[in-house]
Amino acid sequence: MPAVSKGDGMRGLAVFISDIRNCKSKEAEIKRINKELANIRSKFKGDKALDGYSKKKYVCKLLFIFLLGHDIDFGHMEAVNLLSSNRYTEKQIGYLFISVLVNSNSELIRLINNAIKNDLASRNPTFMGLALHCIANVGSREMAEAFAGEIPKILVAGDTMDSVKQSAALCLLRLYRTSPDLVPMGDWTSRVVHLLNDQHLGVVTAATSLITTLAQKNPEEFKTSVSLAVSRLSRIVTSASTDLQDYTYYFVPAPWLSVKLLRLLQCYPPPDPAVRGRLTECLETILNKAQEPPKSKKVQHSNAKNAVLFEAISLIIHHDSEPNLLVRACNQLGQFLQHRETNLRYLALESMCTLASSEFSHEAVKTHIETVINALKTERDVSVRQRAVDLLYAMCDRSNAQQIVAEMLNYLETADYSIREEIVLKVAILAEKYAVDYTWYVDTILNLIRIAGDYVSEEVWYRVIQIVINRDDVQGYAAKTVFEALQAPACHENLVKVGGYILGEFGNLIAGDPRSSPLIQFNLLHSKFHLCSVPTRALLLSTYIKFVNLFPEIKTTIQDVLRSDSQLKNADVELQQRAVEYLRLSTIASTDILATVLEEMPPFPERESSILAKLKKKKGPGTVTDLEEIKKERSSDMNGSAEPASVNASAVSTPSPSADLLGLGAAPLTNSAPPPASSGSLLVDVFSDSASAVAPLAPGSDDNFARFVCKNNGVLFENQLLQIGLKSEFRQNLGRMFIFYGNKTSTQFLNFTPTVICSDDLHLLIAFLNYTSCLNLQTKPVDPTVDGGAQVQQVVNIECVSDFMEAPILNIQFRYGGTFQNLSVKLPITLNKFFQPTEMSSQDFFQRWKQLSNPKQEVQNIFKAKHPMDAEITKAKIIGFGSALLEEVDPNPANFVGAGIIHTKTTQIGCLLRLEPNLQAQMYRLTLRTSKEAVSQRLCELLSEQF
Amino acid sequence: MGILTLKFRNFKIIYRRYAGLYFCICVDVTDNNLAYLEAIHNFVEVLNEYFHNVCELDLVFNFYKVYTVVDEMFLAGEIRETSQTKVLKQLLMLQALE
């Protein structure tokens, strides 16, 4: 085969390049370049018309200068002139210059497009190829406007040469990526799909890329590609290694095409049984081949083979439906975990991360825990260790959380600085998520601070404080532990912060022990004070004033500290102000006022863990999030069997002592019309104060109830006597509802007893925390007397144990004047309140949508619009309903789609919804898909009522 | 990949070293590492055949031809042709037009 001689054809160019290479300094190079630019400029401006060869040579020199990093501001016209040359070499240089240096000079674009048009029409395959490559490389909108209609024709024309077809397919792909709106689907699409059958594997390779991209956006149009891709793949993987000749690479038949076909299949759910059988065979063959002895010792052979294998595993994970294949894939990756090739170990760790989220292979992945932990300790490359950390995080569940957290903490002591913060976040999240008892959680976080204090971000130590404040069972332990940790002569400032905050709140819980008496606590904290930064000192000053309230016996000691010059005259304004104000407060305020001002912090509202948010942010959108979400969804499926079987349980079957009084279960509440009882029937028993019966639902309460499905605050009920307002917040499977009872009369209500009755208490745990005012009076019930015009507040803590249908009932009984009042309203605690929105791409959405295609997973309702059909209101309602509103996911912009996860204590259930309005008919079609029929059903009922 | 990939914004760079030359390819993070690693090698083998024992100087002096080789094998960010025989045949046909 003839070799290409150096710079053949253009001697001047070769000389110039040699000169540049011989330059001894940057200055010399610039000088040489300027000389050349001047030369070229004068040639271009000269009177003598240049021949094609010279033009080509100078344009090529300009291109070289540009590639060296210099600006080129002339020569474009000469390059465009080359496009119309009839000589291949001149045309090629012209197109190359345009492709590399195109600018949007409109005059030129017109000329360029004109030249391209001529070449496309030339029927000369070489020229057509050059023109197509230019469009594919530039891909500008102007080019899309000019050629998006033409290229599909070239692609599917019967007489187009194979190499032109390849270029046309990828050219179209480029235009579709940059300007999808300009590439309309049409008759050509079905013919493109049939290119998968083409004899020329190069055409198939190019067409597969095009189809994959188009199918992601238009899955319906291209779904016939699935069976064609499977049969093509099957022919490749079962071929003898010599069958494909040109396309066999180191004994591997068409590896790149195989990878592309496997990727195309990942745009779709598992195919119909017939095709599926064939695909399963293919995948099994690929897995089998991995076990065969290598046909070559060359790394190219194993790389190509493993490229196909990893893609096959990706497809198996994507389908997530064949337990047998998933477990085989996991075992194969397990072998790679110990392979001597670092690349393979890395890839195996990465792939296993996704396997860990499949219900079928989660357990199989867990069996490799020791190997992964070992990788964490012994891998020499930090990126491999990083993947090991990711995998440990992904395989963590309740059964191994303690071991994994311990190993991560161990590793943290020596971990690379670059990944410490991320490990800290992961440990903090796992510790919180899988804490069986919170003392372990507190210990873990304090360990984190001890080992890697510098990497413990604010989110982490804020979170431990939130949790300690919200859980009274751990407060004493936390106080004792931080007190002990603070004894260390050198402790991290973050520990001082946590310690200061916790002792300020709960120091009293350990003050009984003479070893941690108030004075000792104070002296311990104050011994750290001078070594701390300003913000920490400010925090400690607040701790001191809290101590004044908690421990009156050391008030004077603290006042002395506050009064010292270093505080009162501190140069820092914040510290000075705190010292002055706290000192003053401690001097003039009465004990009662101090107790009010400095009372224990109220519980923090439950919300998404700030740490998780931070990890997501750190990892960038779409990486951690997805894994995390998938894992949540999957884990819900995993626990599915352990759930209570009956989701529809009604009061009749529950052992609740109050249930048998009610007979509520007998009349399902969800669709019951307001009971016939007149409002007078609220007066149940004039002669007896004993709460013997619960009133039927107050009229109109269903309407009010429906309004609360998509909102959390407002007035739930009102009559002449009483107004009931609600404020509530929900996070994951927990919620808190504040109920405000307002006495609208001027007369006292006596024996005021509100009760929440849960018809379905297996599934929803409700705990009253009775507050009468913002004063923290712990578990005192609501004051039985409500003065005329007064309002009392009650807090309800809610935990969703598993999915449920019936909303709880709030029953209120009281005496007003001489009459006994008894009324009931439904409390708007509905399943959708436990939604966490999930953002996902269109591709993910439809993939999952298809995964939930079992008829039992889908519930659909077609109904008439009850309200004006306004897109913005609809959007607000879907968001209020709790799911994420996914924009630009549905191909029809008039439709709405949403996604979210219902959190219950036992499981998490991924939910997808799609609302299709039909303005003409004033109808909606609502479709819900979740992994659980009852959940789909309930959500569909709830949401249908909203429009 | 541990030693053969780098993170780059939302992409990754897969690279392979041949003597003093690094060949890099920038792909989506979800793309198949090993397939692109071998695509680099396939490309290098074609260059080697085309330039007869390719060296850095061949690539410098014939930079405009290297673009042609790239366009034959990779187009619009996708793998266009993987058969070395077919690519070389096409390149020689073009060579003959000069």
Side-chain angles (χ1 to χ4, degrees):
Chain A
M1 215 167 280
V4 181
S5 60
K6 290 183 176 59
D8 69 334
M10 285 188 274
R11 228 187 97 69
L13 174 67
V15 170
F16 173 60
I17 294 175
S18 293
D19 285 356
I20 295 284
R21 291 183 60 85
N22 290 332
C23 287
K24 297 275 186 288
S25 65
K26 188 80 192 160
E27 290 72 33
E29 183 184 311
I30 291 171
K31 211 171 147 198
R32 179 68 186 88
I33 285 171
N34 285 335
K35 185 179 152 202
E36 193 62 41
L37 287 173
N39 174 40
I40 298 173
R41 220 179 244 120
S42 74
K43 296 282 186 202
F44 282 172
K45 281 194 179 151
D47 306 331
K48 213 172 88 195
L50 289 174
D51 59 6
Y53 169 80
S54 311
K55 232 185 260 174
K56 170 181 90 169
K57 183 178 70 184
Y58 294 131
V59 168
C60 206
K61 281 182 180 175
L62 286 178
L63 186 56
F64 186 77
I65 294 170
F66 176 78
L67 293 175
L68 286 176
H70 301 269
D71 282 338
I72 294 297
D73 52 9
F74 68 103
H76 299 81
M77 204 44 166
E78 284 72 15
V80 172
N81 285 340
L82 285 175
L83 298 183
S84 40
S85 165
N86 274 327
R87 299 177 69 98
Y88 164 74
T89 53
E90 291 168 16
K91 212 185 254 298
Q92 190 248 329
I93 297 294
Y95 272 123
L96 181 56
F97 186 93
I98 299 298
S99 302
V100 175
L101 264 125
V102 78
N103 70 16
S104 27
N105 179 327
S106 58
E107 186 60 20
L108 278 180
I109 289 286
R110 207 173 45 77
L111 292 172
I112 294 166
N113 279 357
N114 209 26
I116 292 176
K117 205 168 156 200
N118 290 336
D119 281 332
L120 287 182
S122 69
R123 308 185 70 82
N124 173 334
T126 308
F127 291 178
M128 288 172 87
L130 284 177
L132 288 169
H133 291 184
C134 179
I135 302 173
N137 286 327
V138 176
S140 66
R141 204 160 167 87
E142 290 83 0
M143 285 188 178
E145 276 163 3
F147 304 112
E150 182 64 19
I151 292 165
K153 290 183 201 150
I154 297 176
L155 176 58
V156 298
D159 57 349
T160 305
M161 297 258 301
D162 289 331
S163 74
V164 175
K165 270 190 203 165
Q166 284 172 277
S167 302
L170 295 174
C171 187
L172 189 58
L173 167 58
R174 176 68 200 268
L175 295 184
Y176 184 77
R177 281 199 180 130
T178 50
S179 319
D181 52 314
L182 295 178
V183 183
M185 300 296 114
D187 298 343
W188 56 273
T189 52
S190 62
R191 307 190 45 191
V192 165
V193 172
H194 282 277
L195 290 177
L196 290 174
N197 266 337
D198 204 281
Q199 290 180 357
H200 190 289
L201 286 192
V203 172
V204 185
T205 303
T208 310
S209 292
L210 174 64
I211 294 166
T212 305
T213 305
L214 294 173
Q216 282 166 356
K217 285 270 161 63
N218 316 279
E220 276 302 305
E221 291 242 25
F222 290 91
K223 66 174 185 230
T224 48
S225 63
V226 172
S227 62
L228 291 176
V230 170
S231 50
R232 190 87 222 194
L233 182 68
S234 162
R235 271 178 281 158
I236 295 172
V237 298
T238 55
S239 66
S241 55
T242 49
D243 286 359
L244 301 172
Q245 293 173 359
D246 297 1
Y247 288 89
T248 298
Y249 178 83
Y250 289 89
F251 305 100
V252 183
W256 294 282
L257 178 55
S258 306
V259 167
K260 283 194 187 194
L261 290 167
L262 288 162
R263 295 221 127 206
L264 169 58
L265 293 172
Q266 287 172 62
C267 301
Y268 289 93
D272 313 332
V275 181
R276 193 166 172 173
R278 199 153 178 212
L279 177 59
T280 305
E281 273 172 33
C282 283
L283 296 170
E284 277 169 349
T285 310
I286 295 171
L287 285 166
N288 290 342
K289 280 187 177 175
Q291 295 297 325
E292 289 170 11
K295 294 200 174 71
S296 156
K297 288 212 164 75
K298 291 250 169 69
V299 68
Q300 284 82 0
H301 171 71
S302 66
N303 278 350
K305 197 163 105 173
N306 291 329
V308 178
L309 175 63
F310 275 108
E311 205 58 57
I313 292 177
S314 293
L315 180 63
I316 293 170
I317 296 172
H318 168 81
H319 283 170
D320 196 14
S321 58
E322 300 267 355
N324 176 34
L325 287 176
L326 281 159
V327 171
R328 281 194 67 184
C330 185
N331 293 340
Q332 182 62 54
L333 295 176
Q335 285 180 18
F336 285 158
L337 285 182
Q338 320 227 25
H339 203 277
R340 60 189 165 74
E341 276 273 323
T342 311
N343 282 328
L344 280 183
R345 296 198 302 276
Y346 176 95
L347 290 172
L349 288 167
E350 191 181 59
S351 250
M352 253 196 196
C353 252
T354 36
L355 267 181
S357 57
S358 163
E359 56 179 303
F360 301 115
S361 49
H362 183 82
E363 288 304 314
V365 170
K366 275 167 64 185
T367 60
H368 298 287
I369 185 166
E370 298 301 335
T371 317
V372 182
I373 288 170
N374 199 40
L376 198 58
K377 291 175 177 159
T378 56
E379 283 291 349
R380 291 169 62 190
D381 189 295
V382 56
S383 60
V384 186
R385 293 197 296 272
Q386 165 94 61
R387 290 286 88 81
V389 173
D390 289 347
L391 178 53
L392 285 177
Y393 181 73
M395 68 162 73
C396 192
D397 61 20
R398 236 170 253 291
S399 73
N400 55 20
Q402 302 237 355
Q403 184 189 8
I404 285 177
V405 165
E407 290 295 346
M408 283 191 176
L409 278 173
N410 264 340
Y411 173 59
L412 196 51
E413 308 228 18
T414 54
D416 308 73
Y417 296 114
S418 56
I419 59 174
R420 281 194 182 187
E421 189 181 353
E422 195 185 314
I423 297 176
V424 167
L425 292 174
K426 286 187 162 151
V427 169
I429 290 167
L430 293 178
E432 180 185 337
K433 197 163 163 190
Y434 298 116
V436 182
D437 79 275
Y438 277 81
T439 58
W440 175 69
Y441 169 76
V442 169
D443 287 342
T444 303
I445 301 296
L446 291 182
N447 257 331
L448 265 188
I449 296 175
R450 185 178 56 76
I451 296 168
D454 286 344
Y455 297 89
V456 172
S457 55
E458 285 183 340
E459 286 84 353
V460 174
W461 75 261
Y462 286 177
R463 187 72 189 156
V464 68
I465 284 173
Q466 283 175 8
I467 287 179
V468 169
I469 288 193
N470 288 12
R471 304 205 145 244
D472 40 20
D473 52 332
V474 78
Q475 288 159 357
Y477 181 80
K480 179 165 161 286
T481 316
V482 292
F483 177 79
E484 280 161 11
L486 283 168
Q487 307 281 345
C491 50
H492 195 275
E493 191 165 333
N494 279 334
L495 180 66
V496 180
K497 291 178 188 164
V498 175
Y501 202 108
I502 288 180
L503 291 180
E505 295 295 321
F506 309 114
N508 55 331
L509 299 178
I510 56 167
D513 187 329
R515 285 165 300 177
S516 51
S517 70
L519 189 60
I520 293 177
Q521 287 186 38
F522 174 74
N523 285 338
L524 180 62
L525 282 176
H526 198 54
S527 69
K528 317 281 181 194
F529 187 91
H530 300 281
L531 298 170
C532 290
S533 64
V534 168
T536 309
R537 285 197 227 174
L539 185 153
L540 286 177
L541 288 179
S542 298
T543 303
Y544 298 169
I545 189 70
K546 288 242 166 185
F547 275 178
V548 167
N549 175 46
L550 286 182
F551 311 128
E553 63 268 39
I554 58 167
K555 180 171 168 179
T556 49
T557 317
I558 291 170
Q559 283 174 330
D560 287 345
V561 168
L562 292 175
R563 200 178 285 125
S564 73
D565 280 356
S566 61
Q567 309 296 355
L568 277 190
K569 297 186 178 169
N570 196 294
D572 185 89
V573 174
E574 176 68 29
L575 293 181
Q576 192 187 80
Q577 186 175 358
R578 284 193 191 210
V580 171
E581 288 177 0
Y582 290 163
L583 180 61
R584 195 75 190 133
L585 180 67
S586 71
T587 320
I588 60 166
S590 69
T591 328
D592 281 354
I593 292 177
L594 269 184
T596 312
V597 174
L598 302 170
E599 73 171 321
E600 194 178 292
M601 291 296 282
F604 285 88
E606 289 295 338
R607 53 178 176 237
E608 183 189 26
S609 156
S610 49
I611 314 175
L612 199 54
K614 168 133 184 172
L615 184 66
K616 285 179 185 171
K617 204 169 126 202
K618 208 173 153 52
K619 280 283 195 160
T623 49
V624 161
T625 332
D626 274 2
L627 252 181
E628 192 59 18
E629 301 303 323
I630 294 168
K631 190 166 173 204
K632 280 183 194 161
E633 280 180 50
R634 301 288 166 77
S635 68
S636 69
D637 298 343
M638 222 177 306
N639 299 335
S641 54
E643 282 167 50
S646 153
V647 279
N648 239 331
S650 65
V652 182
S653 60
T654 60
S656 155
S658 54
D660 47 350
L661 290 177
L662 315 177
L664 281 172
L669 291 167
T670 32
N671 45 11
S672 67
S678 71
S679 50
S681 73
L682 293 183
L683 211 161
V684 170
D685 183 355
V686 196
F687 304 105
S688 163
D689 275 357
S690 65
S692 55
V694 169
L697 286 178
S701 77
D702 262 6
D703 289 349
N704 266 350
F705 176 80
R707 272 194 270 132
F708 277 89
V709 169
C710 291
K711 63 173 193 172
N712 287 332
N713 306 326
V715 174
L716 177 67
F717 172 84
E718 185 158 22
N719 65 10
Q720 294 97 325
L721 307 180
L722 178 70
Q723 185 192 54
I724 304 176
L726 289 186
K727 258 174 94 167
S728 48
E729 54 203 22
F730 295 86
R731 181 235 160 190
Q732 300 200 339
N733 69 320
L734 301 175
R736 179 171 295 136
M737 181 175 271
F738 296 82
I739 309 176
F740 303 90
Y741 305 96
N743 181 345
K744 291 171 70 182
T745 69
S746 51
T747 316
Q748 269 188 344
F749 293 163
L750 297 170
N751 298 341
F752 188 80
T753 20
T755 340
V756 173
I757 302 142
C758 206
S759 63
D760 201 359
D761 59 354
L762 268 179
H763 302 296
L764 196 62
L765 281 185
I766 294 204
F768 266 104
L769 264 188
N770 292 304
Y771 276 50
T772 46
S773 70
C774 54
L775 263 178
N776 177 5
L777 296 173
Q778 305 253 307
T779 52
K780 197 176 155 201
V782 173
D783 198 319
T785 314
V786 184
D787 287 333
Q791 189 183 61
V792 295
Q793 175 192 342
Q794 188 173 35
V795 184
V796 185
N797 279 351
I798 305 148
E799 180 174 22
C800 177
V801 178
S802 76
D803 57 290
F804 63 98
M805 305 295 273
E806 309 292 349
I809 304 292
L810 175 66
N811 173 251
I812 301 140
Q813 304 182 349
F814 59 93
R815 288 194 75 89
Y816 164 68
T819 60
F820 175 70
Q821 304 285 333
N822 182 358
L823 64 100
S824 293
V825 286
K826 263 201 277 182
L827 265 189
I829 300 171
T830 46
L831 187 54
N832 64 299
K833 299 292 181 193
F834 305 97
F835 245 135
Q836 290 282 109
T838 312
E839 290 293 345
M840 57 175 81
S841 69
S842 171
Q843 192 191 348
D844 287 350
F845 181 86
F846 283 106
Q847 263 171 26
R848 290 180 200 182
W849 183 263
K850 297 211 167 80
Q851 281 164 7
L852 295 170
S853 51
N854 183 322
K856 288 200 160 175
Q857 295 169 330
E858 178 183 290
V859 172
Q860 196 168 71
N861 189 10
I862 298 172
F863 54 92
K864 199 117 193 114
K866 289 191 284 287
H867 304 284
M869 296 174 82
D870 179 302
E872 289 311 309
I873 294 176
T874 305
K875 282 182 188 172
K877 281 185 175 163
I878 291 176
I879 293 168
F881 192 63
S883 74
L885 179 71
L886 304 176
E887 307 266 16
E888 291 176 2
V889 162
D890 199 295
N892 179 351
N895 293 346
F896 305 90
V897 296
I901 295 170
I902 296 282
H903 286 255
T904 74
K905 189 180 179 191
T906 48
T907 67
Q908 290 156 350
I909 301 147
C911 308
L912 303 176
L913 67 89
R914 189 179 198 182
L915 180 71
E916 299 159 271
N918 180 340
L919 283 171
Q920 266 134 27
Q922 289 287 303
M923 303 277 282
Y924 286 101
R925 179 164 71 184
L926 174 65
T927 315
L928 256 295
R929 286 192 180 183
T930 76
S931 49
K932 237 178 140 176
E933 188 181 13
V935 173
S936 303
Q937 186 67 47
R938 180 61 178 150
L939 292 176
C940 190
E941 278 168 21
L942 286 168
L943 191 56
S944 297
E945 291 302 308
Q946 298 302 314
F947 299 105
Chain B
M1 199 175 305
I3 37 190
L4 298 170
T5 0
L6 293 170
K7 260 275 174 60
F8 173 69
R9 299 195 195 136
N10 276 338
F11 303 100
K12 62 188 173 192
I13 293 175
I14 296 179
Y15 65 94
R16 201 150 167 169
R17 203 181 102 162
Y18 294 87
L21 282 185
Y22 284 87
F23 287 78
C24 307
I25 212 166
C26 181
V27 295
D28 289 341
V29 275
T30 54
D31 273 326
N32 188 308
N33 292 291
L34 291 173
Y36 283 100
L37 191 62
E38 280 318 303
I40 293 176
H41 188 74
N42 199 30
F43 174 66
V44 171
E45 287 193 357
V46 168
L47 289 179
N48 199 43
E49 195 69 29
Y50 184 50
F51 290 108
H52 270 217
N53 283 329
V54 68
C55 67
E56 186 184 342
L57 283 186
D58 293 322
L59 304 183
V60 174
F61 281 94
N62 295 290
F63 70 95
Y64 55 97
K65 291 185 180 162
V66 176
Y67 276 101
T68 306
V69 184
V70 172
D71 278 350
E72 286 300 319
M73 302 187 73
F74 302 95
L75 191 64
E78 298 287 337
I79 293 174
R80 177 181 176 278
E81 179 57 84
T82 62
S83 156
Q84 297 186 12
T85 322
K86 290 219 167 71
V87 173
L88 286 165
K89 211 172 126 197
Q90 174 77 2
L91 290 173
L92 294 177
M93 189 275 283
L94 296 175
Q95 179 85 7
L97 296 174
E98 294 198 351

